[in-house]
Amino acid sequence: MPLRISTEFVDHYRSSHPDCHLPLHQKLWLDPNRRAFDKEFEDEFDKKEWQGLVAADFSRFLNGELEKNADIATGDVEFVQWKVLTAQELRLVQDDVKGAF
């Protein structure tokens, strides 16, 4: 039997829903299909500024998890390295997304 998800459930988790409190850069990353019906969102997406912010978020998260769960000291050098690698991957994913539409 196929999985059925209610429209109400899906709508509630769209980045355009009033209850979505994610920062804009995370909305841009997680909801690229919104560009099809939201010109302002598309313009922000195309600026590509969100990629660096998402990469910084991920870098902070990763450093925090490594410090919490391991005997590995992490700091600014590791943060910059994670951010660079993450930003590169985000650019590749964005190219894949653009090619799919």
Side-chain angles (χ1 to χ4, degrees), residues 11-100:
D11 287 344
H12 186 76
Y13 287 96
R14 292 189 192 283
S15 67
S16 58
H17 193 279
D19 288 342
C20 180
H21 300 291
L22 291 172
L24 178 60
H25 64 278
Q26 291 180 6
K27 291 178 182 181
L28 292 163
W29 168 47
L30 295 169
D31 194 7
N33 293 337
R34 181 173 164 187
R35 295 176 297 153
F37 60 89
D38 185 335
K39 177 68 172 137
E40 185 178 327
F41 192 83
E42 180 181 29
D43 292 343
E44 288 297 320
F45 186 92
D46 290 342
K47 289 180 187 176
K48 301 179 184 178
E49 295 170 359
W50 60 272
Q51 294 172 339
L53 296 170
V54 170
D57 287 351
F58 179 75
S59 300
R60 276 189 290 279
F61 164 78
L62 186 56
N63 269 5
E65 289 301 304
L66 289 172
E67 288 174 3
K68 187 168 43 174
N69 297 313
D71 293 328
I72 300 171
T74 58
D76 292 340
V77 172
E78 292 80 10
F79 174 86
V80 170
Q81 184 61 36
W82 307 144
K83 185 176 174 183
V84 168
L85 293 172
T86 303
Q88 289 171 348
E89 289 299 317
L90 284 170
R91 280 190 290 281
L92 292 173
V93 168
Q94 182 182 356
D95 291 344
D96 287 346
V97 168
K98 279 188 176 181

Side-chain angles (χ1 to χ4, degrees), residues 1-10:
M1 174 182 261
L3 177 64
R4 296 189 188 271
I5 300 174
S6 76
T7 304
E8 180 181 324
F9 176 83
V10 172

